[in-house]
């Protein structure tokens, strides 16, 4: 699980950070934070706490937002075992993904066209 969105969310929570649905790891993702939190609770049994608070939306209306966190005793227990090594692995996987060069669709298309032209010339 170290290279997954669930692992990224759990790593944030284990680092004693609170998390809202506006976190940057969800940019360009199709899953919402609540979906990932639900899986961590139901599938893996993490006792994640949720607190709702009032907030203003971009268009000026009032709404509600949620913040998620783990109790400190759960964090301490998880990190006392092999949790710290797992957390380091998740951070390393995240760093490796961020260093990976992005492939643009145009670059891949350009290589296909260039390869086709080389084949026609032979």
């Amino acid at each position: 699980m170290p290279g997954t969105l669930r692992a990224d969310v759990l790593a944030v929570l284990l680092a004693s950070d609170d998390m809202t649905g506006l976190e940057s790891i969800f940019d360009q993702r199709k899953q919402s934070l609540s979906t990932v939190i639900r899986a961590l609770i139901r599938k893996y049994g993490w006792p994640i706490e949720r607190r709702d608070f009032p907030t203003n939306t971009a268009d000026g209306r009032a709404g509600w937002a949620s913040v998620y966190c783990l109790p400190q005793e759960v964090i301490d227990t998880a990190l006392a075992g092999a949790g710290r090594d797992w957390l380091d692995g998740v951070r390393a996987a995240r760093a490796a993904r961020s260093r990976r060069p992005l492939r643009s669709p145009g670059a891949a298309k350009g290589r296909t066209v260039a390869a086709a032209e080389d084949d026609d010339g032979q």
Side-chain angles (χ1 to χ4, degrees), residues 22-109:
L22 306 174
E23 299 297 325
S24 64
I25 67 170
F26 282 87
D27 291 345
Q28 310 300 322
R29 303 290 179 117
K30 293 182 180 183
Q31 282 185 313
S32 68
L33 177 60
S34 61
T35 301
V36 174
I37 294 292
R38 193 175 316 116
L40 290 171
I41 292 170
R42 291 181 181 169
K43 187 173 182 178
Y44 300 102
W46 286 96
I48 298 170
E49 296 175 350
R50 171 183 166 178
R51 294 185 205 104
D52 296 325
F53 59 94
T55 186
N56 294 323
T57 62
D59 62 3
R61 293 179 294 152
W64 287 90
S66 299
V67 64
Y68 301 94
C69 62
L70 281 170
Q72 189 59 48
E73 59 273 4
V74 172
I75 295 170
D76 294 341
T77 302
L79 296 180
R84 203 167 300 281
D85 293 335
W86 179 86
L87 190 56
D88 291 341
V90 170
R91 289 178 179 152
R94 187 183 311 150
R97 281 194 313 270
S98 68
R99 287 191 302 264
R100 199 175 335 151
L102 297 175
R103 289 180 39 194
S104 67
K109 185 178 180 182

